[in-house]
Amino acid sequence: MADSANDIEALTRRIAALESSVRALSEEVARLGVARSAAEPAPQRPGVMPPQKPPAPMTVPSEPQPFNWLPLPKQVDFESLIGRYGTLVLATVSALAAVGTFIGWAIANGLLGPTQRIALGLIVAAGLGVSGIRLRRRERSFGASLLGLALAVIHVCAWGAGPSLHLVPEWGAFLLAAIASIALAVFAHGEVDEALWSVGFSGAAIAPFVTSSGRGNLSLFAAYGVAVLASAGYAMGGRRWIVAGRLFLLAAAAYTAALATGFERQLGPLYAMGFPLAVGILGVIPWIAGPERRERLRALGVLAGLAAVRSAVGINLPLDDKLIASLIAGAGVIWLVFVDRTHAVVEPSSPTTRRLHEGDWLDAAVIPLAFVVAAVMALDGSARQSGWAMAAAAATLLVTVMRLPQGSLRDAAAFSVLLCSLVALLLLEQGHPLLITSSIAVLSAMAFAANLAWRSASWTILASIGLGWGVLASLGHLATRTPFDYTPFATRQSAVAVVVLACAVLAWRLAGKEQGLVRVLGGGALVWAFLWVHQEIALAFNQTAATLLRVSYYAATSVGAVGAGRARSVATLRHAGLALAVLAAGTALYGARRLDAIGARIGADLVAAVFLLAIAYWYRRPGSARPSEAT
């Protein structure tokens, strides 16, 4: 009985604990319900929607992405690329080659006449088109490819019927091919089908090559290529079609190369220069924006620049040299307009984005300089004419610098301006070394002035190099004078040294807030001033006068340097002054000993002693000891 009583008592305690837990849980649920009711908005009137707070934007922490050196995105592998697109392009080329081989065999055996060949080609195109339309119900991509192949065959037939076989006028064949290209472009643009675009464009692009007899009309060939690429650019637009973009540029390169190697009597090289620019105007700029536009235009610009150089070396072009140079210069101006319009808006970039600036230097330096060099080569004039041409190029590029935003693109354009200006000076002042040195120093000072208006590292870096070269060249000019046979500070070499010094001081004043550059230019100007004066008096008049002048110069500058260093608390100046004092004493004690005149030796020693005593007095005065100071 006792055990039963204990069990009942334990059960009672467990039931009480369970009731307590349930009671606490009920209170917690009630508390949460009250809090939720308080958080809910007040009921709205019927028919009135409660104001809704916009959801917070979802943020994803940015992670630095490794730079992809290949032009392919990660999600596209080579197997998919070749299997889906490469095989279609190769199939198009193979099919057209098979048709061409069959037609060639039939012609050789007298089985097909010109009319029958074109008719057979159109029948094949119609069959492919019908098959493509029917297959698109089940296999949309493959059916679209057959339609593109049908349009490509039409291009081949049109080109063969005109320039190759002369069954119809060339303008009629060109019109038929243009209509087929436009139809393909509109169809591919509406279907958003890269495979259709690739097949149709490949066939349309290679049509003149597979039907060419080697004696075609280059102007018609260029017009046809522009029409095909312009319509293809419209169909592609700004879509990120990797294969289509590569095919587009490959076709542009093929047409440019064919024109550049064409007959010079038919203006082939000049057509090659204008072809990429026309494609850019009609097939890129109207249909695409942003980085993709810059990449495509950059590739076309490289082709145009190479073709410009090819035009410059042509020997059978039926045009005057000045006209050819003007055409090349006009093409260069068009390219600068491309750069100005393409880079008008600076696109924002995240801090983790890695940007390479080689493209900017291609746009604003390499390609423009290619046009400039080609124009000067084509002009084939005297050094003076070429110099004025380079000066005109520098002025044109300066306008580009004024319009470009600060950054690597402006740096490239400023580099081009200074390079063209330097070459212009060298050509215009050929045979006058003193004038060249002065002009380079003035050009360097002008570059520092330009840096105030249009900030660019190219201005300051190249101008500093120019001033350094001017100092060395001027020092060489001073050293070429006959010793002890000139009046110091009264020669043409002295005038050049003054110009270099004035430009160095002006550059120092124009350096602005770039403290490192200010110190370099200021120190350089002081060093050059000291070297110039030393070189003027070192071999002036005669040996006795020159020695006395040098001792006096060293002593005076030593006192001035020490005094300025003490006044401004600049240890470097004080150290330089002490070194000059020691040099003055050494010159007086050793150099003057070789003089025959006793008075000159006594005078040199006295001068050195007086100035050295002045310095010693400064350092021995009470309270003259100073703590270490910053240089």
Side-chain angles (χ1 to χ4, degrees):
M1 295 296 293
D3 294 336
S4 301
N6 292 335
D7 293 339
I8 293 173
E9 184 177 357
L11 181 61
T12 302
R13 286 197 301 271
R14 290 178 180 177
I15 293 174
L18 181 61
E19 290 178 349
S20 176
S21 300
V22 171
R23 190 180 303 108
L25 182 60
S26 300
E27 292 176 355
E28 182 66 19
V29 170
R31 186 180 65 81
L32 292 176
V34 172
R36 181 178 180 182
S37 300
E40 290 180 353
Q44 301 292 326
R45 291 178 297 173
V48 179
M49 295 296 295
Q52 297 182 356
K53 184 178 180 180
M58 182 178 63
T59 59
V60 179
S62 60
E63 298 181 358
Q65 300 294 330
F67 184 75
N68 184 16
W69 292 99
L70 293 176
L72 299 176
K74 290 184 176 180
Q75 62 269 20
V76 178
D77 59 342
F78 284 100
E79 180 182 356
S80 175
L81 179 67
I82 296 174
R84 289 176 58 85
Y85 302 106
T87 54
L88 283 174
V89 174
L90 292 176
T92 302
V93 176
S94 300
L96 293 177
V99 173
T101 302
F102 170 74
I103 292 176
W105 173 82
I107 294 171
N109 290 272
L111 301 178
L112 290 177
T115 306
Q116 288 81 4
R117 302 174 212 166
I118 301 302
L120 181 61
L122 293 176
I123 291 173
V124 172
L128 290 173
V130 172
S131 301
I133 293 174
R134 297 186 63 180
L135 280 176
R136 278 179 63 82
R137 301 172 185 174
R138 301 190 306 272
E139 297 288 342
R140 180 178 181 273
S141 180
F142 191 72
S145 301
L146 290 181
L147 285 174
L149 185 57
L151 290 172
V153 174
I154 292 176
H155 280 87
V156 175
C157 293
W159 195 264
S164 295
L165 301 177
H166 303 288
L167 297 178
V168 297
E170 290 186 354
W171 64 266
F174 173 75
L175 181 62
L176 176 60
I179 292 174
S181 298
I182 295 173
L184 170 64
V186 173
F187 188 56
H189 183 80
E191 294 293 320
V192 195
D193 193 329
E194 186 176 7
L196 171 63
W197 187 99
S198 300
V199 174
F201 173 73
S202 300
I206 68 172
F209 296 95
V210 299
T211 60
S212 175
S213 62
R215 299 183 300 273
N217 189 326
L218 291 184
S219 59
L220 181 62
F221 175 77
Y224 173 82
V226 171
V228 170
L229 286 168
S231 59
Y234 159 74
M236 182 168 50
R239 301 184 181 95
R240 297 192 62 84
W241 289 351
I242 302 298
V243 175
R246 299 301 180 265
L247 287 176
F248 183 86
L249 296 179
L250 181 61
Y255 275 85
T256 303
L259 290 168
T261 56
F263 296 109
E264 293 185 358
R265 290 294 180 184
Q266 294 187 25
L267 305 179
L270 292 176
Y271 282 134
M273 180 183 65
F275 179 83
L277 301 178
V279 171
I281 295 173
L282 300 176
V284 176
I285 294 178
W287 319 120
I288 186 175
E292 289 79 10
R293 176 198 281 185
R294 298 179 186 178
E295 293 174 2
R296 294 181 194 173
L297 286 180
R298 184 172 298 134
L300 295 173
V302 171
L303 295 176
L306 294 175
V309 176
R310 167 65 183 89
S311 301
V313 299
I315 58 176
N316 293 319
L317 291 171
L319 297 177
D320 182 68
D321 290 343
K322 293 183 179 180
L323 179 57
I324 296 174
S326 300
L327 293 175
I328 295 175
V333 172
I334 293 175
W335 171 251
L336 292 179
V337 174
F338 281 4
V339 174
D340 179 78
R341 302 305 302 169
T342 303
H343 295 267
V345 179
V346 180
E347 297 182 358
S349 60
S350 62
T352 59
T353 302
R354 176 178 177 180
R355 289 189 178 274
L356 297 177
H357 302 301
E358 290 87 347
D360 291 342
W361 280 81
L362 270 175
D363 290 346
V366 177
I367 297 176
L369 288 176
F371 283 109
V372 171
V373 171
V376 174
M377 291 172 58
L379 184 61
D380 194 22
S382 62
R384 190 168 187 82
Q385 289 178 331
S386 300
W388 284 116
M390 295 298 292
T396 304
L397 289 168
L398 181 60
V399 176
T400 303
V401 172
M402 296 176 183
R403 295 184 55 84
L404 292 176
Q406 184 175 355
S408 59
L409 196 71
R410 182 189 286 177
D411 293 340
F415 172 84
S416 302
V417 170
L418 287 178
L419 186 59
C420 291
S421 301
L422 177 61
V423 175
L425 289 177
L426 295 177
L427 291 174
L428 291 174
E429 299 171 0
Q430 186 178 12
H432 300 84
L434 296 178
L435 189 58
I436 290 176
T437 302
S438 302
S439 300
I440 291 177
V442 172
L443 178 63
S444 301
M446 293 173 62
F448 275 98
N451 185 58
L452 295 179
W454 310 287
R455 291 285 180 181
S456 173
S458 294
W459 295 126
T460 55
I461 293 175
L462 296 181
S464 300
I465 295 174
L467 287 174
W469 183 90
V471 167
L472 295 177
S474 181
L475 190 61
H477 297 325
L478 293 173
T480 58
R481 296 177 297 184
T482 304
F484 310 119
D485 191 30
Y486 64 87
T487 302
F489 308 105
T491 62
R492 291 184 300 170
Q493 292 84 351
S494 302
V496 173
V498 171
V499 172
V500 173
L501 178 60
C503 291
V505 173
L506 181 60
W508 169 56
R509 299 298 298 172
L510 294 175
K513 300 180 180 180
E514 301 180 27
Q515 295 300 324
L517 187 60
V518 168
R519 287 194 293 269
V520 170
L521 291 174
L526 286 176
V527 170
W528 170 236
F530 175 81
L531 291 176
W532 167 49
V533 175
H534 173 272
Q535 196 66 24
E536 290 285 348
I537 65 176
L539 301 173
F541 302 118
N542 52 64
Q543 187 174 5
T544 301
T547 302
L548 290 175
L549 288 174
R550 276 192 295 139
V551 172
S552 302
Y553 180 57
Y554 294 154
T557 52
S558 67
V559 173
V562 171
R566 289 172 58 84
R568 296 179 176 273
S569 299
V570 180
T572 302
L573 285 176
R574 298 199 305 272
H575 298 163
L578 291 175
L580 289 173
V582 173
L583 182 61
T587 304
L589 295 174
Y590 176 75
R593 288 294 176 267
R594 294 180 298 176
L595 299 178
D596 296 333
I598 294 295
R601 283 187 282 174
I602 296 174
D605 291 337
L606 289 176
V607 169
V610 169
F611 284 100
L612 287 171
L613 287 174
I615 295 176
Y617 172 75
W618 272 341
Y619 276 92
R620 297 180 65 84
R621 288 178 57 190
S624 62
R626 296 171 180 260
S628 60
E629 298 152 287
T631 59

